[in-house]
Amino acid sequence: MVEFRMPKLGESIAEATVISWLKNVGDYIAAEETLLEVATDKVDSEVPSPVSGIIKEIRFQKNDVVPVGTVMALIEASEGESQLQSQSQSQSQTQQSAQVAEPSSPYASAAPSSVAQLRQGGTTFLSPLIISIAQKENLSIEELQLIPGSGADGRLQKSDVYQYLKNRKYPVQSKPVVQSPSTSSYPKPKINFTEGKDYIIEMDRMRKMIADHMVYSKQTSPHVTSYLEVDVTDLVAWRNNHKEAFQAKTGQKLTFTPLFVEAVAKAIQAYPLINVAVEDTKIYVRKDINIGMATALPTGNLIVPVVRNADTKDLAALASDVNQLAESARTNTLKPEQIQGSTFTISNVGTFGSLMGTPIINQPEVAILAFGIIKKRPEVITTAKGDEIAIRSMMFLSLSFDHRVVDGFLGGSFLRKVGDYLEQFDTNTTY
């Protein structure tokens, strides 16, 4: 009998939600055939069976949240596979035991034996992220369990904890006084709903996670946004003149995005302290330059696939990465590793006709850059003959940065460097 466990789907992912089982108890499944679909806070994934055999037991159902390493099902392996799988499981359990053997913590027993036990009689399932926040903020298990949860089935979200900490006005040692959201000093605005005319749409799972992440980012980082207008006339002309030849030679469409990624990667090399992450009083400077590109999905939701090591790639390679990631996002085929590890994020708000934007930082990064729409308009330029009015292609850049570690000098200098690369684009660039 083989124990099928929730696999580790990414470096920072500790749990996943069951979307659907593709097989039922009693069904036969072949090795590497998809057994179920799961969702993390990043992406949906198909999970294959490690062996061929008969499914004997399924322990979790749709919408259950399952920690990594938890036994989800039992499979009676076909003859010849049992012994090999048993050896593999033994090694895996040994490794997991070594990882679990850490100093005892008052939070160690917080997770229930069953993930279905989300909130029963004051008992709350606490995710690793919630436990980490609680340890940093000196919150006890008892205090955590009294915080109203806004997640599915009353599950505690990080935004709930931060909202509670924001309103917490007693010493840590004192017994907490729990207030319901309705007891806020500012009454919640009443929504006037007209039956038969208005209607309600429930947020889907991804929209809930996006909302949670955005609230968390705003609560974590003091946002400052700087703006710069750049003249990209030469860049636009070069791209228009070369896009057909570029596609014929490389097989890739030449959009503006790889050109933007290239400029940002070069600017990060000049100002590496924009490519950092913050934890308490520690600043982690990232050596790799991995550019996340905010991408709209057909559902209207948002996802951020990552162009890895952007500073090491030429324009053809960047175009290939950008096009492949964008296509995978549109077809919902992104893999977990393709949306992890970004160190700096860009957002092309100009795609939707926006002049500029005030983007929210993609945590745990410290800055995000938005590119506005490119518009032609008359501008005063300086030539050998003096000042003249000419039709130029202009674009606004908007840089939101975390003022805890990025001051105006660094933010402004970095933004100006990106603008310089775009304005002074080398029209002799080859590919």
Side-chain angles (χ1 to χ4, degrees), residues 31-76:
E32 302 303 322
E33 183 180 358
T34 301
L35 178 55
L36 80 160
E37 296 176 321
V38 298
T40 68
D41 60 350
K42 302 287 188 181
V43 72
D44 298 346
S45 301
E46 295 181 345
V47 183
S49 171
V51 296
S52 300
I54 304 297
I55 300 172
K56 290 296 184 180
E57 181 181 350
I58 291 177
R59 297 184 178 179
F60 296 92
Q61 302 304 318
K62 181 180 179 179
N63 295 327
D64 283 347
V65 181
V66 186
V68 169
T70 302
V71 178
M72 302 183 67
L74 296 179
I75 303 174
E76 185 177 11

Side-chain angles (χ1 to χ4, degrees), residues 72-91:
M72 302 183 67
L74 296 179
I75 303 174
E76 185 177 11
S78 302
E79 186 177 357
E81 294 195 21
S82 300
Q83 184 176 2
L84 180 61
Q85 184 66 19
S86 177
Q87 293 173 354
S88 175
Q89 283 188 358
S90 177
Q91 294 174 357

Side-chain angles (χ1 to χ4, degrees), residues 117-124 145-146:
Q117 182 188 354
L118 293 172
R119 183 181 287 272
Q120 298 176 358
T123 300
T124 307
Q145 291 177 334
L146 293 173

